[in-house]
Amino acid sequence: MKKVITYGTFDLLHEGHYRLLERAKALGDYLIVGVTSEAYDKTRGKLNVVDSLATRIENVRKTGFADEIIVEESLGQKVQDVKKYQVDIFTVGSDWTGVFDYMKDYCEVVYLDRTKNISSTMLRIQNRRIQRIGIVGTGRIAERFVPESKLVSGVSTQGVYNPHTESAKKFADRWEIEAYEELEDFYQSVDAVYIASPHETHYDYIKSSLGHGKHVLCEKPMVLKKAQAEELFQYARAHDLILFEGIKTAYCPGFNRLLGVACSGVIGNIRNVEVCFTKLENPANRELTDSLYGGSLTELGSYVMLPVLKLLGDSCEDIRFDVIRGENGLDLFTKISLVYPNAIATATCGLGVKSEGRLLISGTKGYLVAEAPWWKTSYFEVHYEDPLKVDKYSEPFLGYGLRYELSDFLSMINGRNSSEFKLTRSESVALAGIMKKEHFQMKIWAHRGCSQMYPENTLLAFEKAAIGGLEGIELDIQMTKDGELVVIHDERVDRTTEGSGFVRDFTLAQLKRLHIYADVHPGQEIPTMKEALELLTPFMRKGLRLNIELKNSVYPYEGMEEKIVDLVGMYGLEKNVVYSSFSALSLERLRGIDSQTEIGILDTRVSDCFYKLKGGCGAQALHPYWQAIDLSAERLQGYTVRAYFGGHLYPEKPTGTKLDLAALEKKGITDVFLNEPERYL
């Protein structure tokens, strides 16, 4: 009689288990099934096991394939079982290929092909089902995720999507999952999405996944703009979906124990937090070559800011960034200094400078210290005034730590909200806000709204720009025959509407009868400045800025300055607005009306902006053409330099040109006005 033995947790028994047992039985005459005990699952790092041992044994018995069921309770038991039961064949799934080759010294070893595409026809136990998870991305983190996911019960890695199909196919072949060429097919096959793609793609993939009704676990940093984080969390909450930011440290047992001890009062009131995480990255890697989305803060900032936010909160009174940059403008070493009402903190991260990595929490009675790698918290100490008194704590950190975040993600999906405190929505939003403060030294403005994708200077173009997490929006105002402020760039209506003539010769009612060329976006008309402010006020109250260009250098509209200042004042948005004009005289009048308002002087060359500045218009900012920076960065130091970029306007095709923002920053430019700002977010 040929005896076969196999092992597993067999939690939430599903068709993959069923098929494995069926094929194992077919290998011989007598099948022995080893079911892991709760204690052994815990020691080997298996998380989130739902069913009791008795239930799992009963479910295996009900399949009808097991001739004998035993309990696996310890490491090394497999060899003893093979000897004890005189087993001929040891078999497990092919996802363990190679791991049990040592068993060949005792019997034949067979790796059975794993079941791809676990369907939704799973056994439903206690109203829970296996979550089929799909991976977006095929990089280093995704490679680590698959083996970690095997150690979390209740989840099946279904497939992978990467727009580079060859990479997806190689990844899928390696891990015996499906590769999807189309996102729609991918979404139809999964219940939840794990996003491990390049940082700049996170926002779009999260939004798309949520839009398809999928729960989302996204690796850090989730997004790089506070407004984007708020938008995505709001959408997820409204549609009863889980959106989870994957910072493994936040979910590991050791770090949570550390936070508990720190906040327990044993070190008194916390007054200082110092945290550091550095590593020397290969200069050729993406982290140090991607001028938009690389750098130490993007890569490591989430880790170092996590303990600060958890211990001191997100309401600091002041925040400062001190940065050492490489030749390409990327931050090699960043120190964030934060001031709170009763505490201070420093969070340091680096990819090109090495420093001592540790977490130090200072209190009024003692201090807590965790040495590197504190972000994989497994050991920390509490010290007191008495140097002989030291409390020591330890907790295992298993594998890469991804199993912890996946386990808590699954718990949230299953309605157990006990994990939400480990990284709250507000903390994720705060992290995104901190990324925005430093990540984009170059501030991005939408020129006439998102004017390459949508008709320029329309409410549609402004709305699309407002939700994109930009620094601000630029628009242009003219004045009608009856004294109304309207948003349009040209002095004439000919280019953008079916009408002909000067704006100043139309009444508002006559302008409203004109239609803006909009093709697939019908119904667009010339908006009034009041309509624009009605739309943008909610966004501006959250930090969006507005640059209002007064188009009065060709035709000096009488009273335009008073009208626009009064209108902005009605909405209480004075601090959110920048006024600009090619007319220095107009800017002087603005300064006379509102001495506190911010003013930018427009011209082609930055040197001409300086010339006008000397005339006494009171401008604080220079608004030149981006290719006409004819003064040195040293000469421009201390000035806000907002450069405008000429690109194509709707409905023209995109230029295909993408600015090197780091290079422009070196020239002294601080902000850019872009027709297609969405390409940079």
Side-chain angles (χ1 to χ4, degrees):
M1 181 172 61
K2 185 179 288 187
K3 288 187 176 181
V4 181
I5 195 167
T6 189
Y7 295 85
T9 303
F10 299 104
D11 189 37
L12 298 175
L13 193 77
H14 56 73
E15 64 178 284
H17 296 137
Y18 186 91
R19 292 177 187 175
L20 183 139
L21 292 172
E22 181 180 38
R23 285 177 289 168
K25 174 70 171 179
L27 292 175
D29 307 301
Y30 190 89
L31 177 63
I32 302 170
V33 179
V35 181
T36 55
S37 69
E38 285 97 340
Y40 183 46
D41 275 329
K42 185 175 181 180
T43 59
R44 71 192 187 103
K46 180 80 172 182
L47 303 181
N48 212 55
V49 177
V50 174
D51 292 337
S52 67
L53 176 60
T55 299
R56 289 182 282 127
I57 290 174
E58 180 62 15
N59 286 338
V60 170
R61 186 190 64 77
K62 285 180 179 179
T63 67
F65 297 120
D67 296 289
E68 187 172 350
I69 300 174
I70 62 175
V71 177
E72 184 181 18
E73 299 184 273
S74 63
L75 183 68
Q77 181 179 327
K78 292 181 178 70
V79 172
Q80 297 303 316
D81 287 343
V82 167
K83 293 178 179 180
K84 176 181 178 180
Y85 296 103
Q86 298 180 341
V87 168
D88 300 290
I89 299 174
F90 170 91
T91 185
V92 287
S94 58
D95 44 349
W96 295 101
T97 297
V99 174
F100 296 105
D101 283 356
Y102 69 90
M103 297 292 293
K104 292 178 180 178
D105 291 339
Y106 309 99
C107 63
E108 181 183 353
V109 175
V110 176
Y111 295 104
L112 296 170
D113 290 339
R114 76 182 292 274
T115 303
K116 291 186 181 181
N117 291 335
I118 298 297
S119 75
S120 58
T121 58
M122 306 293 182
L123 270 182
R124 293 174 181 262
I125 307 294
Q126 299 174 350
N127 295 320
R128 298 190 181 98
R129 68 184 179 93
I130 304 295
Q131 291 293 323
R132 300 169 301 158
I133 195 162
I135 302 173
V136 175
T138 55
R140 285 174 292 177
I141 299 298
E143 290 279 2
R144 296 171 181 174
F145 180 82
V146 179
E148 289 274 306
S149 69
K150 296 176 185 176
L151 294 165
V152 179
S153 186
V155 67
S156 171
T157 303
Q158 191 79 357
V160 63
Y161 172 79
N162 187 324
H164 304 288
T165 55
E166 194 59 36
S167 296
K169 288 177 181 177
K170 289 180 180 178
F171 185 94
D173 289 344
R174 185 159 53 254
W175 295 109
E176 297 184 294
I177 57 178
E178 289 292 331
Y180 295 91
E181 295 186 13
E182 300 294 334
L183 260 178
E184 289 300 322
D185 295 336
F186 172 78
Y187 289 135
Q188 289 177 17
S189 302
V190 303
D191 305 304
V193 177
Y194 172 67
I195 297 173
S197 56
H199 305 317
E200 66 270 23
T201 66
H202 286 183
Y203 172 77
D204 286 335
Y205 280 130
I206 295 172
K207 190 171 184 179
S208 175
S209 299
L210 293 174
H212 283 79
K214 309 302 175 184
H215 304 294
V216 176
L217 168 59
C218 182
E219 276 302 321
K220 60 81 189 168
M222 188 177 77
V223 289
L224 299 168
K225 297 285 185 179
K226 183 178 181 180
Q228 291 178 341
E230 290 173 332
E231 174 199 346
L232 294 172
F233 276 121
Q234 184 177 359
Y235 183 94
R237 189 181 298 112
H239 293 81
D240 200 25
L241 295 169
I242 301 301
L243 173 57
F244 221 59
E245 182 170 13
I247 305 176
K248 61 187 179 185
T249 307
Y251 309 104
C252 79
F255 183 72
N256 281 280
R257 190 177 185 190
L258 178 151
L259 292 177
V261 172
C263 297
S264 69
V266 296
I267 63 171
N269 296 319
I270 297 172
R271 293 290 182 251
N272 178 51
V273 178
E274 297 174 23
V275 55
C276 181
F277 184 178
T278 64
K279 61 179 181 177
L280 297 180
E281 190 65 61
N282 185 331
N285 286 352
R286 174 194 58 79
E287 290 84 350
L288 289 177
T289 57
D290 188 336
S291 61
L292 283 177
Y293 301 102
S296 63
L297 184 65
T298 304
E299 291 302 316
L300 304 176
S302 299
Y303 288 118
V304 296
M305 281 304 304
L306 177 66
V308 176
L309 291 175
K310 297 301 295 184
L311 294 166
L312 300 179
D314 58 8
S315 299
C316 64
E317 294 179 338
D318 187 38
I319 183 170
R320 189 182 79 248
F321 295 84
D322 295 302
V323 182
I324 297 173
R325 298 187 183 276
E327 293 182 359
N328 61 0
L330 286 175
D331 61 308
L332 301 176
F333 190 77
T334 296
K335 177 175 284 189
I336 310 170
S337 301
L338 304 98
V339 177
Y340 290 83
N342 294 301
I344 57 176
T346 56
T348 305
C349 54
L351 294 176
V353 177
K354 190 64 182 172
S355 185
E356 181 183 10
R358 69 170 182 170
L359 170 59
L360 175 66
I361 305 167
S362 305
T364 54
K365 296 180 180 178
Y367 67 88
L368 184 154
V369 62
E371 302 293 344
W374 61 264
W375 49 94
K376 299 179 181 180
T377 317
S378 59
Y379 179 79
F380 62 92
E381 296 179 352
V382 175
H383 293 251
Y384 303 92
E385 183 67 18
D386 180 355
L388 299 178
K389 183 181 179 183
V390 179
D391 298 333
K392 300 179 180 181
Y393 300 84
S394 63
E395 195 80 33
F397 182 92
L398 302 171
Y400 293 110
L402 299 178
R403 68 189 73 177
Y404 298 122
E405 61 187 62
L406 178 56
S407 176
D408 284 358
F409 175 57
L410 196 59
S411 293
M412 292 287 288
I413 291 174
N414 289 330
R416 300 191 298 274
N417 296 326
S418 58
S419 300
E420 189 173 11
F421 76 95
K422 294 180 182 178
L423 183 64
T424 66
R425 294 182 180 95
S426 62
E427 288 163 351
S428 282
V429 169
L431 281 172
I434 289 167
M435 293 295 174
K436 177 183 176 181
K437 288 177 185 294
E438 169 56 22
H439 178 77
F440 280 113
Q441 287 289 300
M442 181 71 72
K443 296 179 176 63
I444 310 293
W445 297 66
H447 185 231
R448 309 181 203 173
C450 291
S451 54
Q452 205 293 308
M453 292 288 289
Y454 307 96
E456 65 179 86
N457 276 328
T458 60
L459 296 181
L460 176 63
F462 299 150
E463 181 181 19
K464 296 299 182 182
I467 63 176
L470 298 166
E471 175 71 17
I473 296 172
E474 185 271 353
L475 55 75
D476 313 277
I477 58 171
Q478 309 267 0
M479 201 156 74
T480 65
K481 184 177 181 179
D482 49 351
E484 295 290 339
L485 297 177
V486 290
V487 182
I488 181 171
H489 176 271
D490 298 359
E491 281 72 24
R492 297 181 63 90
V493 300
D494 305 52
R495 180 175 64 85
T496 55
T497 77
E498 79 276 25
S500 179
F502 287 98
V503 174
R504 69 175 187 264
D505 294 331
F506 286 80
T507 65
L508 177 60
Q510 290 170 332
L511 281 182
K512 283 295 187 180
R513 288 197 285 269
L514 300 178
H515 301 90
I516 290 177
Y517 298 125
D519 290 342
V520 296
H521 306 290
Q524 302 304 313
E525 59 182 29
I526 298 171
T528 64
M529 187 63 219
K530 185 175 181 180
E531 289 170 338
L533 287 176
E534 287 284 350
L535 170 71
L536 296 174
T537 292
F539 299 98
M540 295 175 71
R541 295 204 190 288
K542 293 182 180 180
L544 182 74
R545 306 193 70 199
L546 185 64
N547 186 110
I548 302 173
E549 181 182 341
L550 284 67
K551 303 296 292 185
N552 52 7
S553 59
V554 175
Y555 185 85
Y557 296 105
E558 186 176 348
M560 174 180 269
E561 295 84 4
E562 289 83 357
K563 285 178 180 288
I564 188 59
V565 171
D566 287 346
L567 184 59
V568 169
M570 283 175 52
Y571 290 87
L573 298 172
E574 296 92 337
K575 293 183 179 180
N576 299 77
V577 168
V578 179
Y579 298 105
S580 64
S581 176
F582 280 89
S583 170
L585 290 176
S586 179
L587 296 179
E588 285 183 36
R589 285 194 288 271
L590 277 167
R591 175 61 68 219
I593 298 167
D594 185 350
S595 61
Q596 301 301 312
T597 195
E598 184 176 351
I599 289 175
I601 185 72
L602 272 160
D603 215 306
T604 302
R605 295 183 301 181
V606 73
S607 58
D608 290 333
C609 293
F610 257 110
Y611 179 78
K612 289 181 178 179
L613 194 65
K614 292 179 180 178
C617 66
Q620 301 102 323
L622 313 174
H623 291 193
Y625 182 56
W626 74 285
Q627 288 184 317
I629 307 300
D630 56 349
L631 296 176
S632 68
E634 289 75 18
R635 181 68 181 86
L636 299 175
Q637 191 170 3
Y639 288 93
T640 297
V641 181
R642 300 187 182 98
Y644 56 92
F645 177 61
H648 289 185
L649 294 164
Y650 179 89
E652 298 173 303
K653 291 182 178 180
T655 61
T657 302
K658 193 169 184 180
L659 297 176
D660 184 344
L661 299 185
L664 294 181
E665 193 173 31
K666 288 182 180 179
K667 292 184 176 182
I669 295 174
T670 61
D671 303 55
V672 285
F673 297 113
L674 301 173
N675 295 356
E676 41 187 342
E678 61 276 358
R679 294 190 64 199
Y680 297 81
L681 298 178

